[in-house]
Amino acid sequence: MPSKPEDLKNHRYLHYSYMEKYGKEDIYQWLDATNQLSPELSSNNGDLLVNAAVAGAGIALQPTFIASEALSKGKLMMVLPDYEPETLGLYAVYAHRKLLPHKIRCFIDFIEGYYGSPPYWDESIQHL
């Protein structure tokens, strides 16, 4: 079990191909170093990467909306939670508030409740 980012160099990284490997956080440099020992699995499907991690293929950096079920059932565990990358925001972009149609306001209110803080998928893993 890695206890610091440097320990990742001894593990296989399961890479999500649409995610930039070289973010500003230090964790990315260590994830890239994992490739020196063995080839990585790269996919544009987060579910596939989570399933591969459950099967023991390596360590995946995936959002909790994809991995929460495996985490809550104990099939996966969080590694290096103190080094997780910054969260991404979800934004609703619209022309202006002055003449905002009611259906747009309803949609914004719905997604704010649905993806609130914490989102529903994180509720089952908050105790972990």
Side-chain angles (χ1 to χ4, degrees):
M1 175 73 147
S3 60
K4 56 189 180 296
E6 295 85 4
D7 296 340
L8 291 172
K9 67 183 175 187
N10 300 319
H11 293 273
R12 184 177 297 137
Y13 172 47
L14 309 175
H15 176 245
Y16 182 66
S17 60
Y18 291 149
M19 181 178 71
E20 288 186 31
K21 283 171 117 173
Y22 309 104
K24 59 185 171 185
E25 290 94 351
D26 288 338
I27 194 75
Y28 291 102
Q29 92 180 28
W30 295 107
L31 288 172
D32 189 46
T34 62
N35 297 332
Q36 294 173 4
L37 291 180
S38 58
E40 69 177 42
L41 170 63
S42 185
S43 175
N44 65 356
N45 186 307
D47 292 316
L48 181 137
L49 295 172
V50 167
N51 289 336
V54 167
I59 293 176
L61 177 58
Q62 288 295 297
T64 55
F65 74 86
I66 294 176
S68 64
E69 183 178 346
L71 289 165
S72 66
K73 290 182 177 180
K75 294 179 179 180
L76 290 179
M77 55 192 308
M78 289 190 188
V79 176
L80 302 173
D82 295 336
Y83 296 94
E84 71 182 279
E86 291 181 28
T87 58
L88 300 174
L90 177 65
Y91 300 93
V93 180
Y94 48 91
H96 50 77
R97 288 184 158 202
K98 211 174 227 185
L99 300 173
L100 187 66
H102 180 67
K103 61 185 174 183
I104 302 298
R105 177 80 264 156
C106 288
F107 176 71
I108 292 169
D109 291 344
F110 168 76
I111 62 171
E112 182 178 30
Y114 190 75
Y115 296 111
S117 182
Y120 71 89
W121 57 81
D122 280 354
E123 291 174 0
S124 64
I125 59 173
Q126 282 187 324
H127 65 279
L128 300 176

